[in-house]
Amino acid sequence: MEITGTDYTYFANIDPVEIELAFVRKIKKFWPQPVIEVCERDDDGVEIFFAKDAEMDFGFATSGYSLNEDGEGCFMFYCRKFPLLQCEALLGNVAAPDEIKDIDNYSSTLVLNNIWEYTLVLPGLREKSDFSMRIHQSFVGLLAPA
């Protein structure tokens, strides 16, 4: 099978225990009885697979992370902890804090301790799939609540 799915990655200092339970509750609002498989879990991360039902789960072997005829598909929630993340970054489109919201893009060095990397593997581009956008918004809303 060729590689499928679209990855969206975020870094946050929010423990996955808080995120995971809230995310599952959000998914169950539109998929009341999803197949949820914890593929891997330890102190430094978790990997969770989601399918709408057993039929979608079974179809994953042949269709991977792709949208079905109803515009839905399997997806993955993944996170891992880094004791240290040090990198060069180009900062732009800053949403917070207000003090740097409207400045031009600039280069910076990030040095972050005990940071979590979160990745969603979605069955389609969020810009082209209402379903992928819905999953994405459900997750991102947990990282930066209004």
Side-chain angles (χ1 to χ4, degrees), residues 2 12 18 29 32 36 49 58-59 66 72 85 89-90 93 95 98 100 102 112 117 137:
E2 64 182 86
E18 298 174 40
K29 286 183 180 178
I36 301 173
F49 174 83
F58 181 76
S66 61
E72 298 180 322
L85 173 66
L90 178 63
N93 300 319
D98 287 338
I100 60 173
D102 297 320
L112 305 169
E117 176 192 54
Q137 288 176 333

Side-chain angles (χ1 to χ4, degrees), residues 4-123:
T4 60
T6 303
D7 292 6
Y8 294 94
T9 302
Y10 300 88
F11 291 96
N13 61 348
I14 303 169
D15 192 288
V17 171
E18 298 174 40
I19 300 293
E20 178 185 341
L21 296 175
F23 187 56
V24 167
R25 279 193 300 273
K26 285 185 176 233
I27 299 309
K28 286 184 174 182
K29 286 183 180 178
F30 51 93
W31 280 356
Q33 297 182 327
V35 172
I36 301 173
E37 181 182 342
V38 177
C39 303
E40 196 173 310
R41 179 188 301 280
D42 60 29
D43 291 341
D44 294 325
V46 64
E47 186 174 328
I48 306 172
F49 174 83
F50 292 84
K52 181 177 186 174
D53 51 30
E55 181 181 346
M56 183 182 282
D57 185 30
F58 181 76
F60 179 76
T62 55
S63 60
Y65 297 104
S66 61
L67 297 167
N68 64 17
E69 61 278 353
D70 297 325
E72 298 180 322
C74 299
F75 63 95
M76 180 75 75
F77 166 88
Y78 173 78
C79 73
R80 62 182 172 168
K81 186 176 186 179
F82 294 116
L84 173 67
L85 173 66
Q86 184 172 348
C87 64
E88 298 298 316
L90 178 63
L91 299 181
N93 300 319
V94 176
D98 287 338
E99 293 84 359
I100 60 173
K101 263 187 177 178
D102 297 320
I103 63 173
D104 293 334
N105 294 352
Y106 66 95
S107 295
S108 185
T109 300
L110 298 180
V111 181
L112 305 169
N113 291 297
N114 299 315
I115 195 80
W116 291 94
E117 176 192 54
Y118 289 94
T119 301
L120 284 178
V121 180
L122 300 178

